[in-house]
Amino acid sequence: ENSLQKTSTCSSLKSSCIFVSPYALNLSSFTKLVRRLQEKHPEFSRAEIVGAVQEVRRMNKGVLSGLAISAIEEKASAIL
């Protein structure tokens, strides 16, 4: 099948997982975004960075499409 699966990011310190739908943002773009944010904010865990990106999505009516990666990165950085 060509169905896309959700990926999950779990923090070992927290019992909750963050689910990122592949439909919300191209997976390669998402990976690139997370890497850029990790380089810019090494003091934050991957789970915290993903949470900030999820908050950007929530603030943008539940979608990230239409936003440039640089704009998402800027908004997530402000949240972090």
Side-chain angles (χ1 to χ4, degrees):
E1 287 186 358
N2 283 337
S3 63
L4 294 175
Q5 295 178 344
K6 290 183 179 180
T7 58
S8 65
T9 301
C10 297
S11 171
S12 60
L13 299 175
K14 299 177 183 176
S15 61
S16 63
C17 291
I18 299 169
F19 292 97
V20 180
S21 170
Y23 297 107
L25 183 68
N26 179 294
L27 238 33
S28 62
S29 296
F30 179 79
T31 302
K32 180 180 177 182
L33 172 65
V34 170
R35 283 188 188 141
R36 285 171 59 169
L37 286 166
Q38 285 177 317
E39 289 171 7
K40 191 172 185 178
H41 303 284
E43 68 276 18
F44 291 101
S45 69
R46 186 180 195 289
E48 290 170 314
I49 289 170
V50 171
V53 173
Q54 292 290 65
E55 179 63 17
V56 172
R57 184 175 78 170
R58 188 193 64 76
M59 292 175 3
N60 197 49
K61 300 179 183 174
V63 295
L64 291 173
S65 60
L67 291 176
I69 291 178
S70 59
I72 299 167
E73 180 181 357
E74 184 178 307
K75 291 177 183 205
S77 290
I79 291 167
L80 293 170

